[in-house]
Amino acid sequence: MIDNPFFEAWTAPFGLPPFGRIRPEHFPPAFERATMEESDEISLIARSRETPTFSNTVEALERSGRLLKRVGKVFFNLNASSTNAALEAIARDWAPKLAQHQMRIAHNAELFERIADLHARRVRLGLELDQLRLIERRYLDLVRSGALLPAEQKRRLSAICERLATLHTLFAQNVLHDESEWQLVLGEGDLEGLPGFLRTAAAHISRERGLEGRYVITLGRSLIEGFLTFSARRDLRQIAFEAWSRRGAHEGANDNRPLIREILTLRAEQAALLGYASYAAFKLDDSMAKSAEAVDELLRQVWDAGKLQVSVERGQLRRLASAEGLNTDLEPWDWRYYAEKVRQATYNVDAAEVKQYFVLNNIVSAAFDTAARLFGVSFIERTDLVLYHPDMRAYEVRDQDGRHVGLFLQDNFARPGKRSGAWMSSFRVQESFADVVSAIVVNNNNFSKGNPTLLSFDDARTLFHEFGHGLHGLLSRVRYPTQSGTSVRQDFVEFPSQMFEHWIYEPENLRKYARHYQTDEPIPEALLQRLLEARTYNQGFATVEYTAAALLDLEFHRHPAPNAIDVDQFERETLAAFEMPAEIAVRHRPGHFQHLFAGSDYAATYYAYLWAESLDADAYQNFRDSGNPFDPTLASRLKTIYSSGDSRDAKELYAAFRGREPTLDALLRQRGLVAAIVRPAGR
Ligand SMILES: [Zn+2]
């Protein structure tokens, strides 16, 4: 037996995985042993001759599968943030095996009998609320995995889940490969309009790729959005935009369109086996929203208001474009460019100027300081820990009394082998029922590395967003791992993250942390005020871009016969039916819509961001009304939401914070859509 770090006790501080020693070849034997171990543990629980009790069944399950969780968390984090051909091959091999393993547990009849028995007598067991909720969750998860179905249908469901796991894996790998194969190489003559920071970033990448003296634009969001915002070369903007929007939908080995059809078909069959009319109905049944109708209602209200606002914005952009000599219709590769010019003309806010005041390290400090003022936690950098990439940073989190809270890791920069976008994940979740275990949380971003690294305002907001998820993991104070941190329903999980975004707009924070990268001077007050005034600018675009993606998601997952779908045609016709403005592209086109097709968490649930926004806009209004963005009473009530994980119902948690249910007003006002919605249609 080769030395395998997964079979040893980990001795690094805080129980951190021994990253320096973990190699790809350690994973297959570790997965092998870990799945066998869990199967044995499950057998023992299922075949017990004792009468089922909460302790010998539900708590025993919470205790089981420890090695598999340990191996899986390290593997899937590395595969997302720092992958290579070896890890990708293991993912293709093990994703279906792990799905099969999970289904074997879900379909274990003896285990289900014990859970069903406990579930039936749950109110008589003398349990506390979190325990009661845990039984209900376990029972529901098994039922939703097909535990009540006859054997033949169980087998089919298992096969579906196994195949879906493979398709999700391939989908993500195709996007990554398609992204990394594309680059736009520019010469000195192609840089018109590009500010210094973009030229520096493009020259840096060019050098990395051995193209001295040239400039390379890649498909990382920070870089490509910057290019589309500033490049005065319409021809190059078109080339860049089309490459970006067609990721995963190029003919050839990385084409995701056939995969999408198969994924949708299998999901529809999965839903039908479980007794639902569509996959959307299946997913939404276990959500805060509860039904596709409730989601539809929210999306359509916001869609109509967003489109009205777009008609106003389109007029502004067109006037400026024609004054500059553009005599044709605006195209999707024009919007960001002219929107930036209108922003400059109307609000006197220049994104390139603003960026000079957003130094990555300062914005990280702003996030930490905000968490300290709201929740009483501090972040102490640890430079002695071995992590999986030299760019990563680690911070120990402590409470007011200096007690350990958790470990926070940040992996901020775009690089080859890293999935696009920004996300939070964990290497270990908090729990306290057997041992007291603290969370090890990681935030991933895809900023372009610079010296120093400068962020756009949008990047800074993203950093706060992911940090909000991070706090949800770190501040968790629950008993059972299944209920820890971000394990809430998918349409509530964006609440803590989006809620935290509000503090990046707080003038107090900006005055302190938005400082010039060369002089360290704070952002001029006039610029700060203009920046805040411009907050609702271009929100028609942002609303339409996002909501179109959410509508498309819902329609894909409500389709009665997805095996007949032509993905391009379906996208075109669906958006046309919603009267999608022609000069705006959907935020994620199907070919690279990883939320939907690289896994199932956000499938039929992309609306979750807007759903959560109806809560966070409403919740933040509470802080506004109090006159103190750091109001201690409100902060302590908010901390309850961040620390409760899934141990309490989300609706109850929210109502306890706010004292009532949320309304949509705050969201519309926050996006500047109120004027649009009260204006009579057609004007
Ligand atoms: Zn999020």
Side-chain angles (χ1 to χ4, degrees), residues 334-646:
D334 296 322
W335 190 283
R336 286 178 178 78
Y337 178 72
Y338 288 108
E340 175 59 21
K341 295 204 155 201
V342 170
R343 189 200 318 269
Q344 289 183 17
T346 313
Y347 295 94
N348 196 12
V349 171
D350 173 348
E353 185 192 357
V354 167
K355 198 169 173 129
Q356 303 185 345
Y357 292 94
F358 285 82
V359 179
L360 171 64
N361 289 347
N362 292 344
I363 302 308
V364 171
S365 300
F368 289 170
D369 190 21
T370 303
R373 294 179 69 182
L374 290 170
F375 306 128
V377 282
S378 56
F379 292 75
I380 300 117
E381 177 147 28
R382 295 285 303 239
T383 52
D384 57 324
L385 307 179
V386 179
L387 303 167
Y388 60 79
H389 193 279
D391 283 345
M392 287 181 79
R393 299 177 78 167
Y395 305 86
E396 189 194 351
V397 189
R398 295 203 190 141
D399 71 9
Q400 274 138 326
D401 304 320
R403 281 176 306 215
H404 177 75
V405 169
L407 192 67
F408 176 63
L409 311 176
Q410 251 189 342
D411 181 350
N412 281 324
F413 303 116
R415 59 172 177 263
K418 186 170 177 181
R419 202 182 92 190
S420 57
W423 66 98
M424 168 271 193
S425 180
S426 66
F427 285 95
R428 190 175 68 192
V429 301
Q430 179 272 337
E431 65 177 283
S432 65
F433 94 108
D435 285 316
V436 176
V437 176
S438 63
I440 302 176
V441 158
V442 59
N443 273 182
N444 274 277
N445 289 297
N446 264 292
F447 305 139
S448 329
K449 195 175 170 182
N451 189 21
T453 297
L454 300 178
L455 304 182
S456 66
F457 190 72
D458 214 43
D459 288 337
R461 203 163 50 92
T462 299
L463 188 146
F464 267 59
H465 178 101
E466 297 309 331
F467 188 65
H469 283 307
L471 289 171
H472 199 192
L474 289 164
L475 297 177
S476 176
R477 281 298 163 269
V478 301
R479 204 176 341 190
Y480 301 108
T482 294
Q483 297 177 329
S484 195
T486 55
S487 64
V488 298
R489 295 315 88 211
Q490 202 66 31
D491 52 2
F492 191 59
V493 81
E494 298 301 334
F495 173 79
S497 53
Q498 291 184 169
M499 186 66 191
F500 201 77
E501 285 179 35
H502 290 275
W503 279 276
I504 187 71
Y505 293 96
E506 277 306 327
E508 227 179 296
N509 261 344
L510 291 171
R511 282 181 199 118
K512 194 162 166 196
Y513 293 102
R515 309 185 81 92
H516 195 274
Y517 77 106
Q518 284 168 326
T519 64
D520 202 39
E521 286 293 313
I523 189 167
E525 190 61 24
L527 178 59
L528 185 153
Q529 292 306 333
R530 296 198 302 271
L531 184 66
L532 293 178
E533 276 162 30
R535 182 174 174 182
T536 54
Y537 173 69
N538 209 28
Q539 281 298 305
F541 168 83
T543 302
V544 160
E545 177 198 51
Y546 163 82
T547 310
L551 288 164
L552 200 54
D553 168 29
L554 206 56
E555 296 310 320
F556 266 131
H557 288 104
R558 283 206 285 208
H559 197 288
N563 56 329
I565 281 184
D566 173 320
V567 171
D568 289 338
Q569 188 189 351
F570 184 78
E571 178 193 14
R572 219 171 28 246
E573 289 175 0
T574 304
L575 295 176
F578 285 112
E579 299 180 339
M580 174 80 176
E583 54 285 89
I584 297 179
V586 58
R587 183 167 174 87
H588 303 287
R589 295 196 57 205
H592 51 263
F593 206 159
Q594 305 210 59
H595 286 86
L596 309 194
F597 303 121
S600 58
D601 283 355
Y602 281 90
T605 318
Y606 191 64
Y607 74 90
Y609 295 90
L610 201 63
W611 187 270
E613 191 178 330
S614 70
L615 303 178
D616 71 71
D618 184 65
Y620 201 71
Q621 191 57 43
N622 224 350
F623 279 93
R624 274 209 194 92
D625 294 345
S626 81
N628 176 7
F630 298 95
D631 183 280
T633 311
L634 289 174
S636 126
R637 270 172 22 208
L638 184 63
K639 192 175 180 181
T640 303
I641 297 185
Y642 279 79
S643 60
S644 295
D646 196 43

Side-chain angles (χ1 to χ4, degrees), residues 26-83:
H26 294 136
F27 287 107
F31 274 132
E32 203 79 60
R33 186 191 285 191
T35 46
M36 265 162 49
E37 246 183 55
E38 188 174 42
S39 297
D40 291 346
E41 288 162 346
I42 297 294
S43 272
L44 225 58
I45 299 168
R47 299 204 170 146
S48 163
R49 291 174 180 279
E50 293 170 29
T51 310
T53 63
F54 184 79
S55 163
N56 73 17
T57 305
V58 180
E59 285 193 334
L61 281 174
E62 290 294 299
R63 228 173 266 124
S64 70
R66 293 288 164 151
L67 181 59
L68 186 55
K69 285 190 188 81
R70 195 154 87 146
V71 180
K73 281 193 172 292
V74 175
F75 179 77
F76 288 105
N77 273 306
L78 290 183
N79 189 45
S81 305
S82 191
T83 197

Side-chain angles (χ1 to χ4, degrees), residues 260-262 264-266 268-269 556 559-566:
I260 292 172
R261 197 163 43 233
E262 194 182 345
L264 292 171
T265 304
L266 290 173
E269 190 186 348
F556 266 131
H559 197 288
N563 56 329
I565 281 184
D566 173 320

Side-chain angles (χ1 to χ4, degrees), residues 160 164 262-274 276-280 282 556-563:
I160 289 173
L164 279 173
E262 194 182 345
I263 290 171
L264 292 171
T265 304
L266 290 173
R267 285 178 181 163
E269 190 186 348
Q270 177 188 8
L273 283 168
L274 293 164
Y276 290 90
S278 68
Y279 187 77
F282 164 65
F556 266 131
H557 288 104
R558 283 206 285 208
H559 197 288
N563 56 329

